[in-house]
Every structure is written in C-alpha cells, then in structure tokens.
Amino acid sequence: MFLSVLYCVLSLSSVVYSVNVERRSSENGFLWIIAKQLDRLENRFLDMQKQYNSRGAEIESIKETIQKQSPSIVTFLALLISPPYGSIAAHATVKFERITENIGSGYNSGTGIFTAPIKGLYHFTASARQSKSGFLHLGLFRNNAQMAVSVAVNFNSLTIGATLTLQSGDRVYVKNVWDQPSGIVGAGQSYFSGSLVHKM
C-alpha cells in the first residue's frame, strides 16, 4: 500500500515538474535538476516493484513445491519376530522389528514408534498373541497418552484399533501397560500397522 502511494506521489510530482521545466527550462536550472532526480527516483521505484513482484512469485513457487513434496500416502506394517515365544518387560514399548511396508518413512523399527510425517487423520491396528498362561495387556499410545487398550489371556490374541488425528511429529506406539512382564509371541504372529486416511 505504501509503495503504491509513493509511486502515485512520485508520478504526479514528475508530471508537475516536467511541465514547469518545459515552460521555464531556460530560466531555472534548479527545477531541471529536481525533475531529473525525480525521474531517477521513479525508475528506481519501478525496479524495486519489479523485484518485489519477482520475489513474491518465487515464494509462491517454493510453497507449491513444498506442498507437492509432502507425502500424500503414508502407510506402514511391521511384524514382531523375536522372541518367538517370550515376554516383554513392564511398561516397555513393543518393537515390531521386521518392516514389510513403510511408505512415508514414518515407522522406526529400532524404537517401535511411528512418527507422523504430516498432519492428518490416521488409522492404526495392532494385534498380538499371548505366549503363555497369564495376561498380555497392551495399549496404543499417542505421545504419552493411552488411546486404546486390549487384553489377551492364555495363548489367545488381542487386537487394538483406533483412528487418531495427528499433528506432524506426533508419535504413536504400542506398549505393555502392566507393571510386570507379559508373555508375547513373535515369529511374525504379532503386528503393528497404520495408514494416513485423510491429509489435513
């Protein structure tokens, strides 16, 4: 807005002084000098305006590129392999270590944690089998909050499913919510998966 007003003032002043210069150019050299200075300022302003418009277009182009590079498909599937028949420590995160799908690179098999690459609505499913007599008590967590829970008893299986809204950087993982170790079957019989349902 300021640039537009400045441009109008400069243009009007240039016209006024040009008329005066044409009438009295031979009588008053001072006005001729001012008119030349105004011409230079006007040209400089036009150059600045061109640069501003060029930078604005460049910024918009960068924004479009970033949006195109954001993944529109995010999905993963990871299997628990070891121990084949063993247990998981109290309050430990289950590390489903064999990745069979990881589009968007959100899941980390070393930590067992999925980190949302973009904001959106996601659906998660986890299934696990209990490896011995007793309980397997697993929870699905978003950051540090338990979002869903399920229990398996005496060699049976459990399934947890939840649809969650995630911000970019939010973490989702499966965790033993018991205060003691719980039996769990690996060997590919327990898994953790998730997918982006809707990009926001």
Side-chain angles (χ1 to χ4, degrees):
M1 181 66 182
F2 171 75
L3 292 176
S4 298
V5 172
L6 178 60
Y7 177 72
C8 291
V9 171
L10 290 174
S11 298
L12 182 59
S13 298
S14 179
V15 170
V16 171
Y17 282 114
S18 294
V19 171
N20 288 335
V21 167
E22 287 177 2
R23 289 177 178 174
R24 300 184 296 169
S25 59
S26 60
E27 301 173 4
N28 196 337
F30 180 70
L31 287 178
W32 183 84
I33 294 172
I34 291 177
K36 285 295 183 182
Q37 290 294 336
L38 285 172
D39 286 340
R40 290 193 189 98
L41 286 173
E42 182 179 356
N43 290 333
R44 187 175 179 184
F45 170 79
L46 292 173
D47 289 340
M48 291 173 63
Q49 190 173 45
K50 288 178 183 178
Q51 291 179 6
Y52 174 80
N53 292 336
S54 176
R55 296 265 174 98
E58 187 177 334
I59 291 171
E60 289 302 319
S61 176
I62 292 172
K63 286 181 179 178
E64 289 178 6
T65 301
I66 291 173
Q67 289 176 350
K68 288 178 181 178
Q69 289 177 346
S70 296
S72 57
I73 299 175
V74 180
T75 187
F76 75 94
L77 172 62
L79 309 178
L80 183 67
I81 303 301
S82 60
Y85 288 86
S87 63
I88 182 171
H91 302 294
T93 298
V94 184
K95 297 177 182 178
F96 300 85
E97 71 270 37
R98 178 175 292 175
I99 296 174
T100 61
E101 199 75 68
N102 196 17
I103 300 174
S105 303
Y107 181 73
N108 185 329
S109 60
T111 61
I113 296 173
F114 170 79
T115 303
I118 58 174
K119 180 180 179 181
L121 186 67
Y122 292 79
H123 182 74
F124 297 92
T125 303
S127 181
R129 185 180 166 203
Q130 215 278 347
S131 66
K132 56 187 177 181
S133 296
F135 292 89
L136 174 61
H137 201 172
L138 299 180
L140 181 70
F141 284 74
R142 177 176 61 192
N143 298 323
N144 296 319
Q146 180 177 300
M147 307 307 296
V149 68
S150 189
V151 179
V153 183
N154 300 336
F155 303 98
N156 288 312
S157 296
L158 62 82
T159 300
I160 310 171
T163 302
L164 306 173
T165 300
L166 302 181
Q167 303 294 324
S168 177
D170 279 351
R171 301 171 299 118
V172 178
Y173 51 95
V174 178
K175 180 179 176 181
N176 179 13
V177 297
W178 261 30
D179 293 327
Q180 57 186 340
S182 297
I184 191 169
V185 176
Q189 298 184 45
S190 300
Y191 69 87
F192 180 32
S193 69
S195 295
L196 174 65
V197 177
H198 180 68
K199 185 178 178 180
M200 300 171 68

